[in-house]
């Protein structure tokens, strides 16, 4: 029997799913109030529990949308769809060069599609996703669990 999910377990699971799929779907809200989704390459830093990092061009639609409304959600799934994790929270846009360097070092090996969109003049920023709620699903087993990060932090 599996113990109930906690923050440590869900963060380990997110890291495992990221290692498997290398991607996630990020949803924000556009200027018309409609949900907008896109693929991203996320990563975690072991010392920062409850935080997921993404690198983006400062002029991207996601940065503009998150500047106007920092509430967002993400979905991570294994390639087999056996494990799915969803998170909701708020995103901080960080322009600090040392945070960017650390994030690029951690995510660099997974940023293949990002680098194909090469633009010499772009300014990179870090999106710091602070998790407030998380859900874990095993659709083939009919299992579903959720956890609030607010209550344990």
């Amino acid at each position: 029997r599996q113990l109930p999910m906690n923050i440590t377990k869900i963060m380990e699971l997110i890291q495992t799913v990221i290692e498997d799929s290398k991607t996630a779907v990020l949803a924000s809200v556009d200027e018309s109030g409609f949900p907008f989704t896109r693929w991203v390459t996320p990563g975690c830093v072991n010392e920062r529990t409850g935080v997921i990092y993404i690198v983006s061009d400062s002029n991207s639609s996601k940065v503009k949308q998150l500047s106007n409304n920092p509430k967002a959600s993400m979905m991570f799934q294994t390639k087999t769809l056996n494990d799915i994790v969803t998170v909701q929270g708020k995103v901080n846009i960080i322009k600090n060069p040392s945070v960017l360097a650390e994030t690029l070092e951690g995510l660099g090996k997974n940023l293949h599609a990002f680098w194909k969109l090469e633009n010499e003049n772009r300014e990179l920023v870090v999106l710091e996703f602070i998790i407030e709620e998380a859900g874990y699903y095993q659709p083939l087993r009919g299992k579903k669990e959720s956890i609030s990060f607010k209550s344990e932090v």
Side-chain angles (χ1 to χ4, degrees):
R1 216 181 112 152
Q2 192 176 15
L3 296 172
M5 194 59 67
N6 62 35
I7 288 177
T8 302
K9 283 185 183 179
I10 200 93
M11 290 305 297
E12 289 171 357
L13 183 59
I14 288 170
Q15 188 64 43
T16 300
V17 174
I18 289 172
E19 287 170 9
D20 176 63
S21 67
K22 315 256 185 293
T23 62
V25 176
L26 172 68
S28 57
V29 177
D30 70 15
E31 54 281 344
S32 301
F34 287 98
F36 189 92
T37 57
R38 83 278 285 149
W39 291 103
V40 294
T41 304
C44 300
V45 175
N46 291 337
E47 300 80 40
R48 297 291 318 270
T49 299
V51 181
I52 299 167
Y53 293 93
I54 303 163
V55 174
S56 184
D57 185 321
S58 64
N59 293 313
S60 69
S61 61
K62 72 176 114 9
V63 170
K64 291 174 186 166
Q65 291 167 2
L66 293 166
S67 294
N68 293 329
N69 182 351
K71 292 181 180 179
S73 64
M74 292 181 75
M75 182 179 71
F76 308 85
Q77 62 190 40
T78 55
K79 291 176 184 175
T80 60
L81 300 179
N82 290 333
D83 296 294
I84 300 171
V85 180
T86 59
V87 295
Q88 295 77 40
K90 292 186 180 163
V91 177
N92 298 315
I93 300 167
I94 301 174
K95 296 181 179 181
N96 181 308
S98 63
V99 174
L100 176 62
E102 180 182 5
T103 305
L104 284 172
E105 184 177 327
L107 297 181
K109 65 185 179 299
N110 296 333
L111 289 171
H112 308 295
F114 182 77
W115 297 126
K116 287 181 183 176
L117 301 172
E118 188 72 34
N119 177 348
E120 294 176 19
N121 298 321
R122 70 177 163 190
E123 177 189 355
L124 299 179
V125 294
V126 174
L127 304 179
E128 178 186 55
F129 190 109
I130 310 296
I131 301 171
E132 295 178 3
E133 303 282 332
Y136 173 53
Y137 309 94
Q138 289 182 310
L140 301 177
R141 294 183 176 176
K143 292 186 178 183
K144 180 178 181 180
E145 260 188 272
S146 61
I147 182 169
S148 172
F149 277 57
K150 294 178 193 176
S151 62
E152 292 193 34
V153 176

